[in-house]
Amino acid sequence: MFGVLMITLLLTIALVGSNMDIILKQGIVYQVRAEITENPAIAESFSTVEEFDKFIQDQTDQRIETLGLDEPWYSPQRVGFTMYKILILDFGNATFLTSDSGSSNVGDILLEKIPRTVLLFTTATIIISIIGIFLGALAGSKVGSAIDRITSAFAVISSSFPVWWIGMLMIFLFAFTYHIFPARATPSMLPTEPGYILALLYHMTLPLITIVMIGFGTWAYLVRNFMVGTMQEDFIIAKKSIGIDKKKIIYKHALKNAAPPIITILALSLSGSLGGAIITEAVFDWPGMGRLYFEAISVMDLPIIIGATYVLTVLFLISIFVADLLYGYFDPRVKTE
Amino acid sequence: MSSVSPTEIKREFMKSKTGLIGVLILLSLVILSVVAITTIPIDTFKQWNNPGNWISYPKTAAPAWINYFVMEKIPEHLILDNPTVVTKDDVISLTSHQFDVQYHYDDFPSDFIYEINVEYSGSQLLQISLIRPNNSQILLVSKSLPQSDSKITHHERIFSTDSNIKKNIQIHFSEMGFYNQNTTSENMIFANNYGDVLKGNYLFLVNIYGVNENVNVIDSKLILGGKAYGMMGTDELRRDLAVGLLWGTPLALFIGIAVAVGSVTVGLIYGVYAGFKGKKTDEAMMRFNDVIYALPALPFLIILAVTISNSIFLLVGFLMIFSWVGIAKVSRSMALQIKTRQYVEASQMMGQKNSKIVFKHIIPQLLPYAFASIAISVPAAITTEAGLSFLGLGDPTFPTWGQILHDANIYGAAARGIWWWIVPPGMMIAITGLAFVFIGNALDAIVNPKLKK
């Protein structure tokens, strides 16, 4: 698992490293030039153009060396150093982006964005899974009924719609045609004002509805398929023939038996939700992890890209691990293997 | 896993309603693609992002069919390039181009532009006049084309905002006694005495007078600016959305099918080989599989598109990298089962080559499953590509539906109520996805009979 994490990081560094170096070096050249234009005395102290050029070159080289940029990004020292820093959770400072409070420490930025993503996407995932499990259980217990068909059809149809497009339509309908919800998902007031929480909840209604609407169908369909499998098992048929209440069978016995795969999916989608959907956040202008990631990539802010990838991958791996443990707990058969 | 014969699959598939609907949608999409490729040359389509190509189109015009549903008819954008030509040869030669316009809309046109490309020598006089439904004739422009002794080609655009037109209109309507200083030329000439739209038959006369008949009109076009155009309307950059939507179809099908076929093939062979070999090879291959599985796909796709290239063909490759993993896992476990079957063991004992066993004995067993997976993984590929394009990372030489939506988002189409810029591209994405989901689910139900109950 640790190996997976390291490979992910290496790949990220490999992909953005060379571009990053070019950008940083250009930055240094600009910096040196700017200093000279600010202070004309430096330029005047040279008699020939060659000398002056040499001075600029020396200054640039010197700074590149102090930052360790004279070695290519793939040199073992630099990669090793970056990896070591990340392992001790020191992500360094962002090159361009800052947090809302103005800090450019990557740790601060991530800490600021993660709660917002949790607020929207994790809430949505929980709602989706609750609706999905109950609807799926209901549909799975009455195979072929109207509710089963509607659920299945809805799942199939909703899975082929891109969430962000539905988001655009929702904004078009409810923000601009009927003026019920605001179009931008970020409240315009400061977090310290008293009504902030209410305003935030009001602003997140539209994205929340959109995500839930598109998401729960697929969930219900999955749960339904697990339920269909369990409902055919002998012990359920035995319980039915004894005459146990059908509701009790569905929610107590069948659902419990279908639990292991459901929990695995739940764990994975919860950790997946932390990344926020990059595109959904872009549509609703939600200032979470997804948008941070996109902004960081578009300006090539290496520390943030690496930091965010690292955090997301760690969370993903942890959730795989937890899901495995839970699977063993709910379905002891896998443990004996 | 039980093997299902092709004829059985076909028979079962014909019974599945959704599957047939899926095939029907797919067929119509394929027909649409063929229509797009044959009727709209790719060179036109490559001009999508070149504003110069779209200059004679209206800005954010609604689809023309909207007029069937509204009471107040929105003026349609008319591009008239097929005038009636009358020539007279006398001492003074006359070439006359007559544009007949049936104007029956409830609003004024937004402007009009006359565009001419003419070859002549000597001095020529260009005169544009208009006969209105009430039979009054207005002289709009009277100007001489640049004098030239040798033969030259002259290209000119005369806009309705031209000050000469305004002056001529002022003279005309002042005589009639109802000139309104504050309206534009087009509002004046398309209005009746009360300032409302005068409906009826308008005739634009473009006359070129010359002393010698050395006039050859290469191109003559009258554009009557409106707020409705074509099947699908136009966007903020005057682009005809019908062209973009039509060409998006073959592109989306190409991306979806290429990615799905590629990743399923790779995943199938990879998984089967790992499962068949077993032991350490299996272990190593599955660990590598885990690494790819744990990579956050979309962020990596974005990084790849930003740093390496956003070419559509490379993008297909990138999408494949992230989508073969699940199939490899499933086909490995299936291969593990098939491996233990006697005929596989027998051929192994006979000393058949590993590659032959994999390709001849195991993979054919998995083909039904593979086809279902191909159909199911097409929509994901299409929506992912659309998503990347939506973020502005698409290939600008091959605009896709996602890019149309990207532009719509940038120009605030939702806020301005330009629904024809948002709804159709998304609908196309959804419908294409739906077709494959239907087909895939129908196949899946046949291949995995457990789901049917």
Side-chain angles (χ1 to χ4, degrees), chain A residues 1 44 49-50 80 105 146 214 271:
Chain A
M1 230 191 225
E44 280 163 18
V49 181
E50 286 82 26
N105 186 292
I214 290 302
S271 78

Side-chain angles (χ1 to χ4, degrees), chain B residues 63-130:
Chain B
W65 44 261
I66 198 170
N67 268 339
Y68 295 112
F69 302 101
V70 290
M71 291 300 289
E72 299 244 311
K73 301 285 174 241
I74 303 167
E76 214 172 299
H77 187 83
L78 300 170
I79 301 173
L80 307 165
D81 48 6
N82 215 349
T84 325
V85 184
V86 181
T87 43
K88 251 185 233 160
D89 287 333
D90 219 334
V91 186
I92 291 172
S93 69
L94 163 69
T95 311
S96 176
H97 282 199
Q98 305 179 349
F99 297 91
D100 193 15
V101 184
Q102 295 279 352
Y103 204 82
H104 47 80
Y105 306 104
D106 291 300
D107 199 0
F108 296 105
S110 54
D111 58 354
F112 61 85
I113 303 165
Y114 178 67
E115 195 178 341
I116 188 165
N117 206 355
V118 60
E119 194 183 45
Y120 67 93
S121 62
S123 62
Q124 308 283 348
L125 180 72
L126 176 74
Q127 234 177 28
I128 304 176
S129 51
L130 169 70

Side-chain angles (χ1 to χ4, degrees), chain B residues 55 99 112-120 124-128 141-147 152-159 162-165 206 208 217-223:
Chain B
I55 201 135
F99 297 91
F112 61 85
I113 303 165
Y114 178 67
E115 195 178 341
I116 188 165
N117 206 355
V118 60
E119 194 183 45
Y120 67 93
Q124 308 283 348
L125 180 72
L126 176 74
Q127 234 177 28
I128 304 176
V141 184
S142 177
K143 68 187 292 181
S144 54
L145 298 177
Q147 150 87 37
I152 57 159
T153 9
H154 179 72
H155 178 252
E156 183 156 2
R157 278 203 186 98
I158 297 167
F159 295 91
D162 194 304
S163 57
N164 283 323
I165 296 182
V206 181
I208 300 169
V217 179
I218 301 162
D219 194 22
S220 160
K221 200 154 58 165
L222 179 75
I223 298 158

Side-chain angles (χ1 to χ4, degrees), chain A residues 4 7-8 11-12 15-16 19 143 156-157 159-162 164-165 168-169 171-172 176 221 224-225 228-229 232 268 278-279 282-283 293-294 297 300 305 309 313 316-317 320, chain B residues 290-291 293-296 298-300 302-304 306-308 383 386-387 390-391 393 405 408-409 414-415 417-419 422-423 426-427 429-430 433-434 437-438 441 450-451 453:
Chain A
V4 171
I7 291 169
T8 313
L11 271 175
T12 323
L15 280 172
V16 285
N19 287 51
V143 178
V156 168
I157 291 168
S159 68
S160 55
F161 281 83
W164 44 272
W165 178 62
M168 281 177 93
L169 286 187
I171 291 177
F172 173 64
F176 292 111
Y221 193 58
R224 174 212 175 254
N225 285 349
V228 171
Q232 286 164 3
L268 292 184
I278 295 179
I279 310 170
V283 170
Y293 217 115
F294 180 62
I297 290 167
M300 275 291 144
I305 298 176
T309 316
T313 319
F316 183 68
L317 292 174
I320 293 181
Chain B
D290 284 347
V291 171
Y293 181 64
L295 289 180
L298 194 60
F300 263 88
I302 296 175
I303 296 178
L304 284 168
V306 171
T307 57
I308 297 181
T383 40
F390 180 74
L391 290 175
L393 302 170
L405 284 171
N409 198 38
I418 313 172
W419 52 267
I422 305 173
V423 179
M427 271 321 246
I429 296 173
L434 216 55
V437 171
F438 279 161
N441 278 13
K450 227 183 163 182
L451 291 176
K453 292 225 170 170

Side-chain angles (χ1 to χ4, degrees), chain A residues 181-218:
Chain A
F181 293 112
R184 282 191 79 227
T186 332
S188 47
M189 21 174 139
L190 289 169
T192 42
E193 279 175 59
Y196 182 75
I197 300 203
L198 273 180
L200 193 69
L201 287 179
Y202 173 59
H203 277 80
M204 71 179 259
T205 331
L206 198 58
L208 195 67
I209 292 174
T210 311
I211 301 168
V212 170
M213 211 171 76
I214 290 302
F216 81 88
T218 321

Side-chain angles (χ1 to χ4, degrees), chain B residues 275-318:
Chain B
F276 176 72
K277 269 281 185 177
K279 308 224 176 78
K280 277 197 177 147
T281 326
D282 182 27
E283 183 69 16
M285 284 173 94
M286 282 301 114
R287 282 297 82 77
F288 177 67
N289 195 311
D290 284 347
V291 171
I292 307 275
Y293 181 64
L295 289 180
L298 194 60
F300 263 88
L301 282 172
I302 296 175
I303 296 178
L304 284 168
V306 171
T307 57
I308 297 181
S309 154
N310 58 3
S311 146
I312 205 163
F313 302 102
L314 277 177
L315 203 67
V316 167
F318 297 153

Side-chain angles (χ1 to χ4, degrees), chain B residues 235-426:
Chain B
D235 65 10
E236 178 73 17
L237 302 170
R238 299 170 185 271
R239 295 178 295 205
D240 186 356
L241 285 173
V243 173
L245 288 170
L246 267 179
W247 256 101
T249 322
L251 287 178
L253 288 180
F254 163 71
I255 294 166
I257 293 174
V259 171
V261 170
S263 55
V264 168
T265 316
V266 171
L268 192 71
I269 295 173
Y270 187 93
V272 168
Y273 187 75
F276 176 72
K277 269 281 185 177
K279 308 224 176 78
K280 277 197 177 147
T281 326
D282 182 27
E283 183 69 16
M285 284 173 94
M286 282 301 114
R287 282 297 82 77
F288 177 67
N289 195 311
D290 284 347
V291 171
I292 307 275
Y293 181 64
L295 289 180
L298 194 60
F300 263 88
L301 282 172
I302 296 175
I303 296 178
L304 284 168
V306 171
T307 57
I308 297 181
S309 154
N310 58 3
S311 146
I312 205 163
F313 302 102
L314 277 177
L315 203 67
V316 167
F318 297 153
L319 284 168
M320 276 183 212
I321 297 177
F322 292 99
S323 48
W324 59 273
V325 187
I327 290 138
K329 267 194 176 170
V330 180
S331 44
R332 169 186 170 263
S333 59
M334 287 180 171
L336 282 179
Q337 285 174 19
I338 296 174
K339 198 173 95 175
T340 55
R341 292 204 187 149
Q342 280 173 344
Y343 68 91
V344 177
E345 280 172 5
S347 51
Q348 235 169 341
M349 250 181 274
M350 277 158 62
Q352 225 164 26
K353 265 193 276 173
N354 281 348
S355 59
K356 207 167 182 190
I357 300 176
V358 167
F359 283 105
K360 279 241 153 140
H361 299 301
I362 302 182
I363 286 184
Q365 297 282 316
L366 297 181
L367 276 184
Y369 160 74
F371 280 118
S373 324
I374 286 177
I376 288 173
S377 50
V378 167
I382 292 177
T383 40
T384 314
E385 193 280 332
L388 283 176
S389 295
F390 180 74
L391 290 175
L393 302 170
D395 188 341
T397 46
F398 290 99
T400 52
W401 294 325
Q403 282 181 52
I404 296 178
L405 284 171
H406 167 73
D407 291 338
N409 198 38
I410 281 189
Y411 287 101
R416 293 159 58 198
I418 313 172
W419 52 267
W420 60 89
W421 201 358
I422 305 173
V423 179

